[in-house]
Amino acid sequence: MRNLGDLSPYEARDPAGFVESMRRLKERSGLTYRELEVKAARNGDMLARSTLADVLGRTNLPRPDVLAAFVRACGDGERVGVWQDARERIASGAVEPTPVEAEPGSGAEELTSSEPLPSSRSRPIRTAVLVAVCVVPLLGLGLWWLLADGDDGGSGDERAAALSGWVTIRPARTPEFCLTDGRDRAGAYANAVAVQLPCAQATVPRTYLEPAGENLYRIQWHHPQEGKGCLTVMNTGPVKGMLEPRDDCAQGTLFQLQPVGDGFRFRVVSSGRCVGVADAKEGAEASERRCGDSADQRFLVRRD
């Protein structure tokens, strides 16, 4: 199988480009539609060859579940979160389409001419100017409101990128606590999970925020005895939804850091849910839950 890692879905600027990236992924996998259907079934996914052929023959974004099944079947399962994130950015309009250059003789180049426009176009221009005069102050007011809500004006990518490396992660609701390893309070699981403890007791493991794509991160824990592990959301078992450090960082959970006030919200890329702390008590477990504006989902990330 050809190398899939150098194929980035972030190169796509619109739905058509994203589907083209999917076609290239299929080509690099070397698998037929039938073989992809069989592999998806082995992965526990449903991916009918007719559905896939229809998806790759269109220029619309695929459904998230179809995309995830397709990427896994192609052998790029460890980057499902990356593909889902790239799809979401295009769907939400966060990615600007690539500008189309005007062809000579098409008439589009006339828009850059220094000659005055015909009088028949003067009224729309005056109307546009009037709208701009009225709307721009409102936009400025909206921007001021957003900044006053706590955002420092930098994008989430910029703020998070400035923090990648050795950090401490503190729940904003209880900043005297740090996110570190502990045990679930019910005693239902023998292994370590992420909990909040007094920072003075949380000197190990050290926390490393690892960039893993465009505004994507893994949370590494480095322990002097246990070595390196990456926080992974548990999908099954007695501590379902909690975060466990796993040795296989390639399978570690990918997070988006979304700025909220003076802190961040950790959004789980694969599920679209967010990390929160059960309560304000010492030893409270961190787990994924539906994203909201509650303080338990806001974390202060500081350079260590």
Side-chain angles (χ1 to χ4, degrees), residues 242-267:
M242 295 186 191
L243 283 67
E244 178 186 22
R246 293 283 186 88
D247 292 338
D248 186 3
C249 280
Q251 300 299 320
T253 296
L254 288 172
F255 300 93
Q256 285 181 323
L257 268 66
Q258 300 178 330
V260 181
D262 60 347
F264 291 91
R265 186 165 52 197
F266 286 86
R267 181 178 177 274

PDB file of all heavy atoms in Angstrom, residues 242-267:
ATOM      1  N   MET A 242     -14.289   8.333  30.250  1.00  0.00           N
ATOM      2  CA  MET A 242     -13.140   8.900  30.952  1.00  0.00           C
ATOM      3  C   MET A 242     -11.893   8.803  30.080  1.00  0.00           C
ATOM      4  O   MET A 242     -11.886   8.144  29.036  1.00  0.00           O
ATOM      5  CB  MET A 242     -12.918   8.190  32.287  1.00  0.00           C
ATOM      6  CG  MET A 242     -14.039   8.386  33.266  1.00  0.00           C
ATOM      7  SD  MET A 242     -13.657   7.663  34.900  1.00  0.00           S
ATOM      8  CE  MET A 242     -15.258   7.762  35.684  1.00  0.00           C
ATOM      9  N   LEU A 243     -10.815   9.457  30.517  1.00  0.00           N
ATOM     10  CA  LEU A 243      -9.591   9.530  29.732  1.00  0.00           C
ATOM     11  C   LEU A 243      -8.503   8.692  30.393  1.00  0.00           C
ATOM     12  O   LEU A 243      -8.166   8.908  31.558  1.00  0.00           O
ATOM     13  CB  LEU A 243      -9.114  10.989  29.604  1.00  0.00           C
ATOM     14  CG  LEU A 243      -9.850  11.888  28.610  1.00  0.00           C
ATOM     15  CD1 LEU A 243     -11.282  12.143  29.069  1.00  0.00           C
ATOM     16  CD2 LEU A 243      -9.127  13.205  28.444  1.00  0.00           C
ATOM     17  N   GLU A 244      -7.955   7.769  29.615  1.00  0.00           N
ATOM     18  CA  GLU A 244      -6.892   6.898  30.111  1.00  0.00           C
ATOM     19  C   GLU A 244      -5.617   7.132  29.297  1.00  0.00           C
ATOM     20  O   GLU A 244      -5.687   7.258  28.075  1.00  0.00           O
ATOM     21  CB  GLU A 244      -7.296   5.428  29.996  1.00  0.00           C
ATOM     22  CG  GLU A 244      -6.189   4.468  30.451  1.00  0.00           C
ATOM     23  CD  GLU A 244      -6.528   3.006  30.202  1.00  0.00           C
ATOM     24  OE1 GLU A 244      -7.373   2.728  29.331  1.00  0.00           O
ATOM     25  OE2 GLU A 244      -5.936   2.148  30.851  1.00  0.00           O
ATOM     26  N   PRO A 245      -4.435   7.197  29.935  1.00  0.00           N
ATOM     27  CA  PRO A 245      -3.192   7.292  29.160  1.00  0.00           C
ATOM     28  C   PRO A 245      -2.861   5.941  28.522  1.00  0.00           C
ATOM     29  O   PRO A 245      -2.777   4.926  29.206  1.00  0.00           O
ATOM     30  CB  PRO A 245      -2.149   7.681  30.219  1.00  0.00           C
ATOM     31  CG  PRO A 245      -2.708   7.172  31.515  1.00  0.00           C
ATOM     32  CD  PRO A 245      -4.198   7.243  31.394  1.00  0.00           C
ATOM     33  N   ARG A 246      -2.700   5.943  27.205  1.00  0.00           N
ATOM     34  CA  ARG A 246      -2.391   4.722  26.454  1.00  0.00           C
ATOM     35  C   ARG A 246      -1.012   4.840  25.827  1.00  0.00           C
ATOM     36  O   ARG A 246      -0.613   5.908  25.371  1.00  0.00           O
ATOM     37  CB  ARG A 246      -3.433   4.486  25.363  1.00  0.00           C
ATOM     38  CG  ARG A 246      -4.842   4.165  25.896  1.00  0.00           C
ATOM     39  CD  ARG A 246      -4.921   2.734  26.386  1.00  0.00           C
ATOM     40  NE  ARG A 246      -6.272   2.349  26.770  1.00  0.00           N
ATOM     41  CZ  ARG A 246      -7.184   1.847  25.941  1.00  0.00           C
ATOM     42  NH1 ARG A 246      -6.896   1.709  24.649  1.00  0.00           N
ATOM     43  NH2 ARG A 246      -8.369   1.487  26.385  1.00  0.00           N
ATOM     44  N   ASP A 247      -0.302   3.687  25.765  1.00  0.00           N
ATOM     45  CA  ASP A 247       1.053   3.692  25.201  1.00  0.00           C
ATOM     46  C   ASP A 247       1.052   4.008  23.712  1.00  0.00           C
ATOM     47  O   ASP A 247       1.980   4.636  23.207  1.00  0.00           O
ATOM     48  CB  ASP A 247       1.724   2.329  25.442  1.00  0.00           C
ATOM     49  CG  ASP A 247       2.010   2.077  26.914  1.00  0.00           C
ATOM     50  OD1 ASP A 247       2.083   3.053  27.678  1.00  0.00           O
ATOM     51  OD2 ASP A 247       2.148   0.901  27.294  1.00  0.00           O
ATOM     52  N   ASP A 248       0.035   3.552  23.001  1.00  0.00           N
ATOM     53  CA  ASP A 248      -0.019   3.736  21.554  1.00  0.00           C
ATOM     54  C   ASP A 248      -0.551   5.135  21.238  1.00  0.00           C
ATOM     55  O   ASP A 248      -1.754   5.343  21.097  1.00  0.00           O
ATOM     56  CB  ASP A 248      -0.913   2.665  20.916  1.00  0.00           C
ATOM     57  CG  ASP A 248      -0.886   2.728  19.395  1.00  0.00           C
ATOM     58  OD1 ASP A 248      -0.135   3.561  18.841  1.00  0.00           O
ATOM     59  OD2 ASP A 248      -1.618   1.939  18.754  1.00  0.00           O
ATOM     60  N   CYS A 249       0.366   6.090  21.108  1.00  0.00           N
ATOM     61  CA  CYS A 249      -0.062   7.469  20.870  1.00  0.00           C
ATOM     62  C   CYS A 249      -0.674   7.660  19.490  1.00  0.00           C
ATOM     63  O   CYS A 249      -1.428   8.622  19.272  1.00  0.00           O
ATOM     64  CB  CYS A 249       1.115   8.423  21.071  1.00  0.00           C
ATOM     65  SG  CYS A 249       1.440   8.804  22.815  1.00  0.00           S
ATOM     66  N   ALA A 250      -0.365   6.769  18.556  1.00  0.00           N
ATOM     67  CA  ALA A 250      -0.967   6.883  17.227  1.00  0.00           C
ATOM     68  C   ALA A 250      -2.481   6.715  17.298  1.00  0.00           C
ATOM     69  O   ALA A 250      -3.212   7.231  16.454  1.00  0.00           O
ATOM     70  CB  ALA A 250      -0.367   5.851  16.276  1.00  0.00           C
ATOM     71  N   GLN A 251      -2.954   6.013  18.327  1.00  0.00           N
ATOM     72  CA  GLN A 251      -4.387   5.823  18.522  1.00  0.00           C
ATOM     73  C   GLN A 251      -4.946   6.760  19.586  1.00  0.00           C
ATOM     74  O   GLN A 251      -6.117   6.669  19.952  1.00  0.00           O
ATOM     75  CB  GLN A 251      -4.665   4.362  18.924  1.00  0.00           C
ATOM     76  CG  GLN A 251      -4.219   3.327  17.907  1.00  0.00           C
ATOM     77  CD  GLN A 251      -4.925   3.496  16.568  1.00  0.00           C
ATOM     78  OE1 GLN A 251      -6.110   3.786  16.521  1.00  0.00           O
ATOM     79  NE2 GLN A 251      -4.191   3.321  15.478  1.00  0.00           N
ATOM     80  N   GLY A 252      -4.092   7.654  20.109  1.00  0.00           N
ATOM     81  CA  GLY A 252      -4.536   8.590  21.132  1.00  0.00           C
ATOM     82  C   GLY A 252      -5.586   9.549  20.586  1.00  0.00           C
ATOM     83  O   GLY A 252      -5.613   9.867  19.396  1.00  0.00           O
ATOM     84  N   THR A 253      -6.452  10.008  21.457  1.00  0.00           N
ATOM     85  CA  THR A 253      -7.541  10.891  21.049  1.00  0.00           C
ATOM     86  C   THR A 253      -7.006  12.229  20.556  1.00  0.00           C
ATOM     87  O   THR A 253      -6.100  12.813  21.155  1.00  0.00           O
ATOM     88  CB  THR A 253      -8.501  11.114  22.229  1.00  0.00           C
ATOM     89  OG1 THR A 253      -9.110   9.859  22.578  1.00  0.00           O
ATOM     90  CG2 THR A 253      -9.588  12.115  21.873  1.00  0.00           C
ATOM     91  N   LEU A 254      -7.586  12.708  19.463  1.00  0.00           N
ATOM     92  CA  LEU A 254      -7.266  14.032  18.938  1.00  0.00           C
ATOM     93  C   LEU A 254      -8.239  15.049  19.511  1.00  0.00           C
ATOM     94  O   LEU A 254      -9.447  14.808  19.562  1.00  0.00           O
ATOM     95  CB  LEU A 254      -7.351  14.039  17.407  1.00  0.00           C
ATOM     96  CG  LEU A 254      -6.242  13.304  16.649  1.00  0.00           C
ATOM     97  CD1 LEU A 254      -6.592  13.235  15.171  1.00  0.00           C
ATOM     98  CD2 LEU A 254      -4.916  13.994  16.841  1.00  0.00           C
ATOM     99  N   PHE A 255      -7.689  16.178  19.945  1.00  0.00           N
ATOM    100  CA  PHE A 255      -8.501  17.239  20.523  1.00  0.00           C
ATOM    101  C   PHE A 255      -8.341  18.524  19.714  1.00  0.00           C
ATOM    102  O   PHE A 255      -7.260  18.805  19.195  1.00  0.00           O
ATOM    103  CB  PHE A 255      -8.074  17.533  21.968  1.00  0.00           C
ATOM    104  CG  PHE A 255      -8.196  16.367  22.908  1.00  0.00           C
ATOM    105  CD1 PHE A 255      -7.113  15.532  23.136  1.00  0.00           C
ATOM    106  CD2 PHE A 255      -9.389  16.114  23.571  1.00  0.00           C
ATOM    107  CE1 PHE A 255      -7.210  14.458  24.011  1.00  0.00           C
ATOM    108  CE2 PHE A 255      -9.495  15.044  24.447  1.00  0.00           C
ATOM    109  CZ  PHE A 255      -8.410  14.212  24.663  1.00  0.00           C
ATOM    110  N   GLN A 256      -9.428  19.280  19.635  1.00  0.00           N
ATOM    111  CA  GLN A 256      -9.366  20.664  19.178  1.00  0.00           C
ATOM    112  C   GLN A 256      -9.385  21.558  20.402  1.00  0.00           C
ATOM    113  O   GLN A 256     -10.136  21.294  21.347  1.00  0.00           O
ATOM    114  CB  GLN A 256     -10.558  21.014  18.294  1.00  0.00           C
ATOM    115  CG  GLN A 256     -10.520  20.449  16.900  1.00  0.00           C
ATOM    116  CD  GLN A 256     -11.755  20.884  16.113  1.00  0.00           C
ATOM    117  OE1 GLN A 256     -12.844  20.974  16.659  1.00  0.00           O
ATOM    118  NE2 GLN A 256     -11.576  21.146  14.838  1.00  0.00           N
ATOM    119  N   LEU A 257      -8.573  22.610  20.391  1.00  0.00           N
ATOM    120  CA  LEU A 257      -8.585  23.569  21.480  1.00  0.00           C
ATOM    121  C   LEU A 257      -9.412  24.766  21.047  1.00  0.00           C
ATOM    122  O   LEU A 257      -9.022  25.506  20.137  1.00  0.00           O
ATOM    123  CB  LEU A 257      -7.156  24.003  21.850  1.00  0.00           C
ATOM    124  CG  LEU A 257      -6.499  23.171  22.963  1.00  0.00           C
ATOM    125  CD1 LEU A 257      -6.264  21.742  22.503  1.00  0.00           C
ATOM    126  CD2 LEU A 257      -5.198  23.802  23.403  1.00  0.00           C
ATOM    127  N   GLN A 258     -10.557  24.940  21.665  1.00  0.00           N
ATOM    128  CA  GLN A 258     -11.453  26.044  21.330  1.00  0.00           C
ATOM    129  C   GLN A 258     -11.355  27.111  22.412  1.00  0.00           C
ATOM    130  O   GLN A 258     -11.610  26.834  23.581  1.00  0.00           O
ATOM    131  CB  GLN A 258     -12.893  25.543  21.222  1.00  0.00           C
ATOM    132  CG  GLN A 258     -13.081  24.479  20.145  1.00  0.00           C
ATOM    133  CD  GLN A 258     -14.506  23.961  20.092  1.00  0.00           C
ATOM    134  OE1 GLN A 258     -15.207  23.933  21.083  1.00  0.00           O
ATOM    135  NE2 GLN A 258     -14.930  23.544  18.915  1.00  0.00           N
ATOM    136  N   PRO A 259     -10.953  28.348  22.060  1.00  0.00           N
ATOM    137  CA  PRO A 259     -10.811  29.403  23.070  1.00  0.00           C
ATOM    138  C   PRO A 259     -12.145  29.785  23.681  1.00  0.00           C
ATOM    139  O   PRO A 259     -13.121  30.005  22.972  1.00  0.00           O
ATOM    140  CB  PRO A 259     -10.189  30.566  22.284  1.00  0.00           C
ATOM    141  CG  PRO A 259     -10.586  30.316  20.868  1.00  0.00           C
ATOM    142  CD  PRO A 259     -10.655  28.834  20.691  1.00  0.00           C
ATOM    143  N   VAL A 260     -12.196  29.840  24.993  1.00  0.00           N
ATOM    144  CA  VAL A 260     -13.387  30.260  25.727  1.00  0.00           C
ATOM    145  C   VAL A 260     -12.916  31.177  26.851  1.00  0.00           C
ATOM    146  O   VAL A 260     -12.289  30.722  27.815  1.00  0.00           O
ATOM    147  CB  VAL A 260     -14.167  29.068  26.323  1.00  0.00           C
ATOM    148  CG1 VAL A 260     -15.404  29.558  27.051  1.00  0.00           C
ATOM    149  CG2 VAL A 260     -14.541  28.073  25.240  1.00  0.00           C
ATOM    150  N   GLY A 261     -13.174  32.476  26.729  1.00  0.00           N
ATOM    151  CA  GLY A 261     -12.700  33.417  27.736  1.00  0.00           C
ATOM    152  C   GLY A 261     -11.187  33.377  27.821  1.00  0.00           C
ATOM    153  O   GLY A 261     -10.479  33.449  26.824  1.00  0.00           O
ATOM    154  N   ASP A 262     -10.676  33.214  29.038  1.00  0.00           N
ATOM    155  CA  ASP A 262      -9.232  33.150  29.221  1.00  0.00           C
ATOM    156  C   ASP A 262      -8.706  31.722  29.177  1.00  0.00           C
ATOM    157  O   ASP A 262      -7.540  31.475  29.475  1.00  0.00           O
ATOM    158  CB  ASP A 262      -8.833  33.797  30.558  1.00  0.00           C
ATOM    159  CG  ASP A 262      -9.493  33.103  31.747  1.00  0.00           C
ATOM    160  OD1 ASP A 262     -10.426  32.302  31.520  1.00  0.00           O
ATOM    161  OD2 ASP A 262      -9.078  33.366  32.890  1.00  0.00           O
ATOM    162  N   GLY A 263      -9.562  30.772  28.820  1.00  0.00           N
ATOM    163  CA  GLY A 263      -9.150  29.373  28.785  1.00  0.00           C
ATOM    164  C   GLY A 263      -9.502  28.709  27.470  1.00  0.00           C
ATOM    165  O   GLY A 263      -9.681  29.361  26.436  1.00  0.00           O
ATOM    166  N   PHE A 264      -9.590  27.382  27.517  1.00  0.00           N
ATOM    167  CA  PHE A 264      -9.877  26.592  26.330  1.00  0.00           C
ATOM    168  C   PHE A 264     -10.870  25.497  26.681  1.00  0.00           C
ATOM    169  O   PHE A 264     -10.960  25.046  27.821  1.00  0.00           O
ATOM    170  CB  PHE A 264      -8.596  25.927  25.779  1.00  0.00           C
ATOM    171  CG  PHE A 264      -7.612  26.883  25.186  1.00  0.00           C
ATOM    172  CD1 PHE A 264      -6.609  27.430  25.970  1.00  0.00           C
ATOM    173  CD2 PHE A 264      -7.684  27.238  23.856  1.00  0.00           C
ATOM    174  CE1 PHE A 264      -5.691  28.317  25.440  1.00  0.00           C
ATOM    175  CE2 PHE A 264      -6.766  28.121  23.306  1.00  0.00           C
ATOM    176  CZ  PHE A 264      -5.769  28.663  24.093  1.00  0.00           C
ATOM    177  N   ARG A 265     -11.561  25.055  25.650  1.00  0.00           N
ATOM    178  CA  ARG A 265     -12.392  23.871  25.743  1.00  0.00           C
ATOM    179  C   ARG A 265     -11.740  22.792  24.890  1.00  0.00           C
ATOM    180  O   ARG A 265     -11.346  23.058  23.754  1.00  0.00           O
ATOM    181  CB  ARG A 265     -13.805  24.195  25.246  1.00  0.00           C
ATOM    182  CG  ARG A 265     -14.816  23.082  25.429  1.00  0.00           C
ATOM    183  CD  ARG A 265     -16.232  23.603  25.248  1.00  0.00           C
ATOM    184  NE  ARG A 265     -16.378  24.338  23.999  1.00  0.00           N
ATOM    185  CZ  ARG A 265     -17.380  25.161  23.745  1.00  0.00           C
ATOM    186  NH1 ARG A 265     -18.299  25.378  24.663  1.00  0.00           N
ATOM    187  NH2 ARG A 265     -17.466  25.785  22.577  1.00  0.00           N
ATOM    188  N   PHE A 266     -11.610  21.592  25.427  1.00  0.00           N
ATOM    189  CA  PHE A 266     -11.029  20.478  24.689  1.00  0.00           C
ATOM    190  C   PHE A 266     -12.153  19.700  24.016  1.00  0.00           C
ATOM    191  O   PHE A 266     -12.933  19.007  24.674  1.00  0.00           O
ATOM    192  CB  PHE A 266     -10.234  19.556  25.627  1.00  0.00           C
ATOM    193  CG  PHE A 266      -8.921  20.128  26.065  1.00  0.00           C
ATOM    194  CD1 PHE A 266      -8.840  20.964  27.173  1.00  0.00           C
ATOM    195  CD2 PHE A 266      -7.753  19.834  25.377  1.00  0.00           C
ATOM    196  CE1 PHE A 266      -7.634  21.497  27.586  1.00  0.00           C
ATOM    197  CE2 PHE A 266      -6.537  20.362  25.776  1.00  0.00           C
ATOM    198  CZ  PHE A 266      -6.477  21.195  26.880  1.00  0.00           C
ATOM    199  N   ARG A 267     -12.220  19.812  22.700  1.00  0.00           N
ATOM    200  CA  ARG A 267     -13.267  19.131  21.931  1.00  0.00           C
ATOM    201  C   ARG A 267     -12.703  17.854  21.327  1.00  0.00           C
ATOM    202  O   ARG A 267     -11.667  17.871  20.651  1.00  0.00           O
ATOM    203  CB  ARG A 267     -13.796  20.040  20.817  1.00  0.00           C
ATOM    204  CG  ARG A 267     -14.903  19.422  19.973  1.00  0.00           C
ATOM    205  CD  ARG A 267     -15.390  20.429  18.937  1.00  0.00           C
ATOM    206  NE  ARG A 267     -16.398  19.865  18.074  1.00  0.00           N
ATOM    207  CZ  ARG A 267     -16.110  19.166  16.975  1.00  0.00           C
ATOM    208  NH1 ARG A 267     -14.858  18.963  16.624  1.00  0.00           N
ATOM    209  NH2 ARG A 267     -17.090  18.679  16.229  1.00  0.00           N
TER     210      ARG A 267
END
